[in-house]
Amino acid sequence: MKQEGFFFRTFHLYYDGFRSMTLGKTLWLIILIKVFIIFAVLKLFFFPNHIHQNAPPGEEDDFVAKELIDRATPSHY
Amino acid sequence: MQDTLLTIDPSIIDWSRAQFALTAIYHWLFVPLTLGLAVIMGIMETCYYRTQNPFWKDAAKFWQKLFGINFAMGIATGIILEFEFGTNWSNYSWFVGDIFGAPLAIEGIVAFFMESTFVAVMFFGWQKVSAGFHLASTWLTGLGATLSAWWILVANAWMQNPVGCEFNPDTMRNEMVSFSDVALSPFAIDKFCHTVISAWIIGAVFTVAVSSWYLLKRRETQLALQSIKIGSIVGLIASIGAALSGHQSAFRIAQVQPMKLAAMEALYNGGTDQSLTGIALVNPFVQPDYQNDAEPPMRIAAPFALSILATNDPHGYVPGINDILNGYTRPDGTVELSADEKIQRGKLAIQTLAEYRQAKKAGADEATLQPQLDILKANMPYFGYGYIRDKSELVPYIPVNFYAFRIMVGVGSLLILFFAVVLFFIYKKDITTPRWLHLSAIIMVPLSYIASESGWLVAEFGRQPWTIQDMLPTWAAVSNIHSSSIMFTFFIFLILFTTMLAVEINILLKQIKKGPEYSS
């Protein structure tokens, strides 16, 4: 009877649910491939944080200030 | 003209905008069906809970399965938009990240905990939890998705109507001073109502269309009949609700983004007693000569309707594009500055910001800095205008707004008629026989998606050139990166999303062809 606790039942909800999936297995495979592409490929190689890459740590505000002020300065163009 | 005046390669702006638009449009293909089917499956399971008729359980399971397929395909597609903020729109991200980040973070937490918990109970819990708890989980799954939408729409509404914030020139960030102003801004509430209700329409159309296909194939008749009934009732209520909330949205846009409304209407010169354009000949490929033309050619309009839409008064004043550019006086006597005056004040704000930061670095004391802070604060509402070189840049591309608005409203009106006709056939005729109506239902699926996406085109094209209304135009918000890298990821997304969409449609169609699994 001890096994009927909340955590045990919660565990079995997920465990039995995942084991008995049919279509769900295909969907999970698609989700995992998609999440891998998004986080391990796109984020890692194609979407760096532009400010962190170009501004010294702690001087991000100066970097953005320069960007925003320069783009409004007539001499810039 | 515009490009030669820019201080940044215009192709960076174009590709960044195109990529964001592509990602958002694809993301919005998945979201409305999730929100809409959540209502349909919730109603079906409620029927099962009340009647204990196993048919309703099978019906609920069938629609939950289709919901699950769409849900799985849509998961994480929105995350890519956040990647784009950090890479392509880094100035924007820094400038408003403190405000914009809060609703997005709440959305992430709500989405993860609420949806992942209750989705699991909904799919795995039929034999594990009580019927009441399962029903609650089904509704809470839908509520979780809707709350996610709420926070995303709060973030979007803030860009259209930035409230509850104050600019800090030391950190170069806008900081939130009132969470409630941001989270409960009238603009956000109107946007949420209109967007979520329109998503219910998509769910309803999808339900009626799938059911109509079964009727065409003469199978699953009971499921089809009951589903059409529920779908068309939800659809009719939602369609009327979308019209009413759309009116409220237009009223709000008239207050906050009058240029967007003027572009939607191709209203060059405003005034009182304004009529609403039904149709007019606006060249889709050229920005109209709004400075010299009185109105678009071959215009057919409903008298007083635009004044009612924008002000709730048939004689209300609605400014046109030229009025907004040249400045005008509202009926209450307040004066809206001309574009030239706003540009001067924006330039003053940016110049003062530069001087303030320079003085601060040089070690100036607070008393010296205070006058600069006062000037900055007084002119901050026009900060973005400091980047405008020519006031024509303040006019969004009129043809897109004009036609997208008409497609949205036209299809929306057609949907009201469609659901009313379906309900007429259900209650007064025989819905199983008219093939034309079944085929119409299937055709309504792509039409309703086109209407839904058109709504977003109006919302986003209409606020150009602003990423944040009056604060930051696109060419100040965008990162100075190589356009080729944005172009490359644009095509990666195009392939990725198109593949996912094809996979989803394929799996959905297979499951629809397979039909429900009956328990007895």
Side-chain angles (χ1 to χ4, degrees), chain B residues 195-211:
Chain B
T195 309
V196 169
I197 289 172
S198 74
W200 294 347
I201 299 175
I202 298 268
V205 168
F206 180 79
T207 305
V208 174
V210 171
S211 306

Side-chain angles (χ1 to χ4, degrees), chain B residues 327-358:
Chain B
Y328 61 97
T329 304
R330 294 193 191 86
D332 65 4
T334 55
V335 175
E336 185 68 27
L337 297 181
S338 69
D340 289 332
E341 288 170 285
K342 289 179 182 176
I343 290 169
Q344 288 310 314
R345 294 187 66 169
K347 286 184 190 305
L348 180 61
I350 296 170
Q351 185 193 332
T352 309
L353 172 68
E355 289 167 1
Y356 169 85
R357 288 186 64 87
Q358 208 168 18

Side-chain angles (χ1 to χ4, degrees), chain B residues 52-92:
Chain B
Q52 292 301 303
N53 180 348
F55 162 77
W56 285 115
K57 184 178 180 180
D58 299 333
K61 278 187 166 182
F62 173 68
W63 292 109
Q64 281 171 4
K65 188 182 279 185
L66 301 187
F67 168 91
I69 295 164
N70 183 64
F71 187 79
M73 293 300 153
I75 277 179
T77 50
I79 296 264
I80 295 170
L81 294 168
E82 294 183 36
F83 294 171
E84 290 171 29
F85 284 136
T87 303
N88 302 352
W89 302 99
S90 60
N91 291 341
Y92 162 90

Side-chain angles (χ1 to χ4, degrees), chain B residues 235-350:
Chain B
L236 184 62
I237 293 169
S239 302
I240 294 168
L244 296 174
S245 60
H247 168 70
Q248 187 59 26
S249 288
F251 174 77
R252 197 70 61 192
I253 286 167
Q255 320 301 314
V256 176
Q257 297 174 306
M259 183 62 90
K260 181 190 282 185
L261 186 71
M264 282 156 57
E265 272 302 302
L267 180 69
Y268 308 152
N269 301 296
T272 55
D273 307 304
Q274 286 297 306
S275 55
L276 184 77
T277 304
I279 195 66
L281 197 62
V282 175
N283 186 338
F285 307 108
V286 182
Q287 181 78 321
D289 185 7
Y290 53 82
Q291 285 175 313
N292 298 312
D293 291 348
E295 62 177 33
M298 300 175 72
R299 179 171 177 263
I300 300 170
F304 303 108
L306 181 59
S307 283
I308 294 171
L309 190 72
T311 65
N312 287 332
D313 175 358
H315 307 297
Y317 176 79
V318 186
I321 291 168
N322 293 318
D323 303 309
I324 297 164
L325 293 180
N326 298 326
Y328 61 97
T329 304
R330 294 193 191 86
D332 65 4
T334 55
V335 175
E336 185 68 27
L337 297 181
S338 69
D340 289 332
E341 288 170 285
K342 289 179 182 176
I343 290 169
Q344 288 310 314
R345 294 187 66 169
K347 286 184 190 305
L348 180 61
I350 296 170

Side-chain angles (χ1 to χ4, degrees), chain B residues 351-491:
Chain B
Q351 185 193 332
T352 309
L353 172 68
E355 289 167 1
Y356 169 85
R357 288 186 64 87
Q358 208 168 18
K360 180 107 182 183
K361 276 198 174 165
D365 57 25
E366 279 189 25
T368 314
L369 295 170
Q370 193 55 47
Q372 289 172 328
L373 282 176
D374 292 341
I375 295 170
L376 185 60
K377 192 172 181 180
N379 294 287
M380 201 58 205
Y382 307 99
F383 186 85
Y385 288 89
Y387 297 96
I388 306 296
R389 311 291 174 203
D390 185 303
K391 60 185 180 183
S392 66
E393 292 172 351
L394 292 167
V395 184
Y397 190 59
I398 295 166
V400 170
N401 289 281
F402 181 81
Y403 286 113
F405 179 63
R406 267 141 201 86
I407 290 169
M408 177 184 70
V409 173
V411 176
S413 306
L414 185 64
L415 281 162
I416 294 176
L417 178 68
F418 168 73
F419 286 122
V421 169
V422 171
L423 281 170
F424 174 77
F425 270 85
I426 290 170
Y427 289 104
K428 299 289 182 187
K429 300 270 182 180
D430 180 9
I431 189 71
T432 59
T433 49
R435 285 176 62 85
W436 64 270
L437 191 55
H438 304 151
L439 289 169
S440 303
I442 294 167
I443 292 167
M444 290 313 287
V445 174
L447 280 184
S448 59
Y449 270 101
I450 289 169
S452 187
E453 298 285 5
S454 295
W456 276 110
L457 288 185
V458 172
E460 301 306 301
F461 267 96
R463 71 176 152 114
Q464 291 304 314
W466 306 111
T467 52
I468 307 154
Q469 184 72 35
D470 298 343
M471 265 197 200
L472 209 60
T474 49
W475 54 91
V478 78
S479 306
N480 194 3
I481 53 180
H482 291 293
S483 59
S484 57
S485 66
I486 313 168
M487 202 191 319
F488 182 67
T489 46
F490 173 91
F491 287 108

